[in-house]
Amino acid sequence: MRVAWPLISAVSLLMPIEAIAASASIRTAAIVADNIYFAVDSTEFIADGNVEILWADETLRATRLEFRNEILQIEGPITLATTGGQALMLADEGEISADLQQGILKSIQILLAQEIQLTANTAERKNGRYYRLKNAVVTLCKVCNPGETPLWHYRARYVVHDTESRQLYLYNARLVIGRFALPAIPLIRFPDPTTRRMTGFLFPTIRFSRGDGLEIATPYFLTLGDHADLTFMPRISTNNRKLLDFEYRRRFIKGHANFQGALAYSGAAAEKWQRRVGVDGAWDLGSGYKFSFDGEKVSDRKFYDATGVDVPSILISRVRVTRRQEDSFFDATGKYFKRFGRSPPPEPNVVVSLDWRRKLHIPSIGGSTGFSLGFASYNRPADGRDVARGNLALDWTRTWGMGGGMLVTATGLAAARSYTVRNDADYGSPISTTTQTAALEFRLPLKRTVGEKTEVLDPFAQFVWSPSSLDEVPDEDGRTVEFDHTNLASLDRFGGIDRSERGARLNLGVKHTRIIPGTMEWDLVFGRVFRNKDYYRSLSEGSLAPTVLTGRRSDYVGGLDLKFASGLGVNLSVLFDDNISLSKIESLVSKTNAKHKWSIGYSQLEKGVVPGMTGPRAAWLGNSRFDLGKNWYFNTTVKYDRHKSKRSADVDLIYRQQCMQFKISILHERNGANAPTKTKYDFSVAPKRLGRSGQGQSVGKVCS
């Protein structure tokens, strides 16, 4: 018979429960068991079979319970769990006081928040708050079988868990990795997994590389109230390199701000101390406006020499205010560029821009109408050219469905720009220019379905007209040009505002789509651009304009996007002339499934395809990630520049589980035909830190 006690009404049966709860004076405990036996004229009793004690936020389950002399003697297996699963305890047997505040549990295992596992011969419960474990093992590795040794763990003479402050104290503890044990530490303190933030040392990281030697980093985390913290991380290596990283984080009601910094010392550097400062943050300004900023500053490039990091070509600092709505967009951005190299650089170091766009609803003309307004300022150091530009534009697009399934789309664009130029005698100031573009596009999509197979053939012809004259304005943002199968039917292929395609032209092409459910699908595009005149070459712009925009007929453009149900994909984009001579090829073959992911890409550009390119380029790029099973992973990245004779290969072998990661890396590179070959080896050990787990992928161990 299953008995719930004290829910039964007999007063004599309630007395033992009241005796148990009396000293606790918090709330009444309840006992549930298959059978409960009472002593005559006494509060002593025995509960037998599926025993449960329900008290506060804890539930204790056992096989048998005996209450005598104000002591609960419990026979296991014993399970003690807290509401919400924050703690789970298993024991063979134990004794607990009537108020459930004191006790001893034998052969105990404790699992905190499904992360930290503690095992000990005995554990004492004191004041309902502390657990004191003797000869304990603490680990994040899952232990499945009795006597099994976790991959890494702490062995401590005593471990104290403070359930109120949510901290763990390890006395006379030593870290054991495999069969290697580090010297004992008198006291180690860290938060349990239910603690979000707490001042103290974080788990150190150990790294070894051929160039830097052995490096040890020991972070220290300092809480500054509920909304701010500071982290210091000193790093020391055997090559006399010393580095102190720090980060300050502050959270506000509607935003956050982070400040990072570093001090680097190297006896080999001319100036031994080098500095770095970085900031980033974001705020919600209300009414849909978002403010963000980020920046970085170093004392000079010697900072990277002192830290062993490759020198970047450029550092960018920016502030930005944006607002995105269903029918409008606003963006105001300021950027500062710090370049390492030529002095003074030809590119601007301060750029300020403003862009506002709005979608207008005009029922009388139908279609979609948009209006945009912008401003940009480009400033160079010393006596370099400074440019300020204001621009506005109005565009309209509408599509009609005609007989026979034909679709006709009309597009109109009118834009005006005004420039102010300083420190450049080639341009007067101010300069004003206007641009008008009109386009008419015809499409006739044809669809055929045979069984489950679907095919769509979509031929199109787009007539585009713009003025043939080329305005003499400074070009700050229109230097990049893209011409491939994705923008064959496009009004303009320049990347900015200062330059736009000119003259009358016909974009002619066809797109074929084929879908076989569960097998494959592809998109195939082929076409060409015809012009009534070679505008760029005739206007002596041939040396500045890319070859894809010169000539009365463009190269043929083709593109293929092919996907298979197996995860194999093929992407191909080509440009070739009438003699089938390739001027551009970009290809990528990739495969993705649950166990591995790899890709191989090849690109080749002939001279002139990209503005300013002095010679041909060809490069290979390969990436792979293989799951070798049993938590082993193999990653590779291979790059090869055929014309510059630059090559690099980065190989990683990783062992990762829920409590530890080992990583071996080999980097082999050569930055030119006459440059020396460099090979770097790197070995790192990163145990998962004790305390609250961070974000990221967790590889669990499954017990059979």
Side-chain angles (χ1 to χ4, degrees):
M1 178 181 66
R2 186 75 167 158
V3 179
W5 186 46
L7 298 180
I8 57 178
S9 60
V11 175
S12 61
L13 300 184
L14 290 174
M15 291 176 61
I17 290 303
E18 294 173 351
I20 293 175
S23 58
S25 67
I26 298 175
R27 64 180 66 175
T28 302
I31 294 179
V32 180
D34 291 341
N35 301 286
I36 300 179
Y37 306 95
F38 303 93
V40 179
D41 299 328
S42 172
T43 59
E44 297 179 356
F45 67 91
I46 296 175
D48 182 63
N50 298 316
V51 180
E52 291 186 4
I53 299 179
L54 309 175
W55 179 82
D57 63 341
E58 296 179 322
T59 301
L60 187 148
R61 296 180 177 89
T63 303
R64 188 175 186 273
L65 181 151
E66 185 173 344
F67 179 65
R68 289 181 180 177
N69 301 323
E70 301 298 320
I71 297 295
L72 290 169
Q73 297 179 349
I74 309 171
E75 296 181 8
I78 301 171
T79 301
L80 179 60
T82 60
T83 304
Q86 295 298 322
L88 176 65
M89 304 180 192
L90 305 175
D92 289 345
E93 58 179 309
E95 293 183 354
I96 300 178
S97 62
D99 59 3
L100 304 180
Q101 301 295 294
Q102 319 292 331
I104 296 178
L105 298 172
K106 297 181 180 180
S107 298
I108 187 170
Q109 295 183 10
I110 302 177
L111 181 61
L112 300 177
Q114 301 294 319
E115 291 189 19
I116 296 181
Q117 185 168 339
L118 301 92
T119 306
N121 295 329
T122 61
E124 298 179 45
R125 179 181 173 106
K126 293 187 176 183
N127 302 325
R129 172 178 176 178
Y130 302 99
Y131 285 92
R132 185 175 183 267
L133 288 72
K134 184 178 180 180
N135 297 327
V137 173
V138 183
T139 185
L140 286 168
C141 301
K142 183 175 291 186
V143 180
C144 299
N145 303 312
E148 181 181 353
T149 302
L151 178 62
W152 77 268
H153 59 276
Y154 280 104
R155 287 191 176 273
R157 178 169 296 179
Y158 295 102
V159 173
V160 176
H161 181 210
D162 187 339
T163 58
E164 288 190 11
S165 65
R166 296 183 293 183
Q167 297 189 68
L168 288 165
Y169 299 86
L170 281 62
Y171 295 90
N172 196 21
R174 64 177 67 233
L175 176 63
V176 181
I177 301 177
R179 297 183 178 180
F180 179 74
L182 297 178
I185 301 174
L187 175 63
I188 300 175
R189 178 184 66 88
F190 53 83
D192 74 18
T194 63
T195 303
R196 295 188 60 187
R197 302 164 65 249
M198 184 172 291
T199 296
F201 284 98
L202 304 180
F203 201 95
T205 58
I206 302 173
R207 176 176 173 267
F208 177 81
S209 64
R210 183 183 181 185
D212 299 335
L214 180 66
E215 180 184 88
I216 300 177
T218 306
Y220 183 80
F221 182 78
L222 177 64
T223 59
L224 303 173
D226 295 334
H227 309 293
D229 55 59
L230 182 63
T231 302
F232 296 95
M233 187 171 67
R235 292 190 286 170
I236 301 176
S237 61
T238 55
N239 68 348
N240 197 35
R241 179 178 295 156
K242 301 177 180 64
L243 181 65
L244 174 63
D245 290 325
F246 65 87
E247 180 181 22
Y248 172 78
R249 304 186 302 174
R250 178 64 191 265
R251 296 297 179 266
F252 303 89
I253 296 177
K254 293 188 176 182
H256 69 273
N258 302 325
F259 300 88
Q260 310 92 27
L263 291 174
Y265 172 86
S266 176
E271 297 180 8
K272 294 184 177 181
W273 287 100
Q274 305 297 331
R275 301 168 300 280
R276 173 194 171 273
V277 177
V279 296
D280 67 87
W283 265 269
D284 184 352
L285 302 180
S287 301
Y289 288 96
K290 308 292 184 181
F291 170 72
S292 62
F293 65 90
D294 62 89
E296 183 178 359
K297 180 177 176 58
V298 297
S299 52
D300 56 38
R301 62 182 300 158
K302 295 177 183 177
F303 170 83
Y304 301 101
D305 298 331
T307 55
V309 179
D310 293 336
V311 180
S313 59
I314 187 173
L315 296 178
I316 304 177
S317 301
R318 63 174 65 85
V319 293
R320 189 179 187 190
V321 176
T322 61
R323 187 191 192 199
R324 292 179 173 87
Q325 294 183 308
E326 183 179 356
D327 58 356
S328 66
F329 172 76
F330 173 83
D331 186 335
T333 303
K335 296 181 181 179
Y336 174 79
F337 299 86
K338 169 65 177 178
R339 295 177 173 86
F340 298 97
R342 294 170 294 181
S343 180
E347 296 84 3
N349 66 332
V350 177
V351 177
V352 178
S353 63
L354 184 147
D355 185 15
W356 178 72
R357 303 176 187 176
R358 185 173 182 84
K359 183 179 180 181
L360 305 177
H361 302 279
I362 308 177
S364 60
I365 62 175
S368 174
T369 305
F371 176 77
S372 64
L373 181 68
F375 170 82
S377 174
Y378 303 87
N379 297 278
R380 292 171 172 81
D383 296 328
R385 184 180 73 189
D386 298 331
V387 177
R389 180 196 67 221
N391 59 275
L392 57 88
L394 183 67
D395 62 85
W396 172 79
T397 300
R398 184 174 180 179
T399 300
W400 294 271
M402 311 299 286
M406 178 174 289
L407 300 176
V408 179
T409 301
T411 302
L413 171 66
R417 306 187 301 276
S418 178
Y419 296 83
T420 300
V421 184
R422 295 187 304 175
N423 301 327
D424 193 335
D426 293 337
Y427 298 96
S429 185
I431 305 173
S432 297
T433 181
T434 59
T435 300
Q436 306 84 36
T437 302
L440 196 60
E441 179 182 279
F442 298 89
R443 288 182 177 269
L444 185 61
L446 305 173
K447 181 179 179 180
R448 182 178 68 173
T449 301
V450 179
E452 295 184 347
K453 182 176 67 176
T454 301
E455 291 185 83
V456 178
L457 187 66
D458 185 12
F460 61 88
Q462 185 185 46
F463 299 92
V464 185
W465 175 88
S466 297
S468 59
S469 60
L470 185 66
D471 298 313
E472 294 294 332
V473 298
D475 186 1
E476 296 288 353
D477 67 354
R479 302 176 187 177
T480 59
V481 177
E482 288 291 337
F483 180 49
D484 56 28
H485 65 287
T486 63
N487 64 0
L488 176 58
S490 177
L491 304 184
D492 187 13
R493 297 175 182 88
F494 281 94
I497 296 177
D498 295 329
R499 287 286 184 268
S500 60
E501 281 194 70
R502 296 293 181 159
R505 51 202 181 273
L506 170 63
N507 302 323
L508 195 62
V510 61
K511 179 179 179 180
H512 179 251
T513 300
R514 187 175 191 181
I515 301 175
I516 304 177
T519 303
M520 55 84 71
E521 62 180 83
W522 78 26
D523 287 322
L524 178 64
V525 180
F526 180 78
R528 198 174 197 181
V529 178
F530 297 86
R531 307 179 183 92
N532 68 333
K533 188 177 180 181
D534 188 356
Y535 293 98
Y536 289 94
R537 195 177 303 278
S538 63
L539 293 171
S540 302
E541 175 100 350
S543 59
L544 299 178
T547 56
V548 294
L549 297 183
T550 58
R552 295 189 61 183
R553 293 177 298 180
S554 74
D555 287 345
Y556 291 102
V557 59
L560 172 67
D561 293 321
L562 178 62
K563 299 177 182 178
F564 292 92
S566 62
L568 180 67
V570 178
N571 303 95
L572 179 65
S573 179
V574 296
L575 288 175
F576 58 91
D577 59 17
D578 295 330
N579 298 320
I580 319 298
S581 177
L582 290 171
S583 59
K584 174 184 176 181
I585 178 171
E586 294 177 338
S587 61
L588 179 68
V589 180
S590 61
K591 176 70 179 292
T592 302
N593 60 29
K595 299 292 291 184
H596 61 261
K597 178 180 181 180
W598 59 263
S599 64
I600 300 175
Y602 175 74
S603 64
Q604 178 178 317
L605 302 175
E606 295 301 321
K607 179 181 178 180
V609 174
V610 176
M613 193 172 69
T614 58
R617 297 178 184 175
W620 289 89
L621 174 63
N623 288 284
S624 68
R625 183 184 185 276
F626 292 92
D627 184 349
L628 304 179
K630 296 183 178 180
N631 299 336
W632 285 94
Y633 302 89
F634 181 72
N635 302 336
T636 61
T637 300
V638 179
K639 301 178 183 179
Y640 174 62
D641 190 321
R642 190 178 69 186
H643 289 89
K644 294 184 178 181
S645 299
K646 297 174 63 176
R647 64 176 184 265
S648 67
D650 191 354
V651 180
D652 297 331
L653 181 62
I654 302 171
Y655 176 77
R656 182 193 300 132
Q657 56 167 238
Q658 87 280 4
C659 64
M660 176 73 75
Q661 175 174 294
F662 297 94
K663 182 178 180 181
I664 301 175
S665 299
I666 302 175
L667 175 61
H668 177 86
E669 60 182 356
R670 185 177 183 182
N671 294 321
N674 300 321
T677 300
K678 299 179 181 179
T679 303
K680 298 180 180 179
Y681 304 94
D682 189 285
F683 173 73
S684 62
V685 180
K688 182 180 178 183
R689 71 175 178 86
L690 292 169
R692 186 175 176 85
S693 63
Q695 300 296 324
Q697 182 181 9
S698 177
V699 180
K701 178 181 178 182
V702 178
C703 299
S704 58

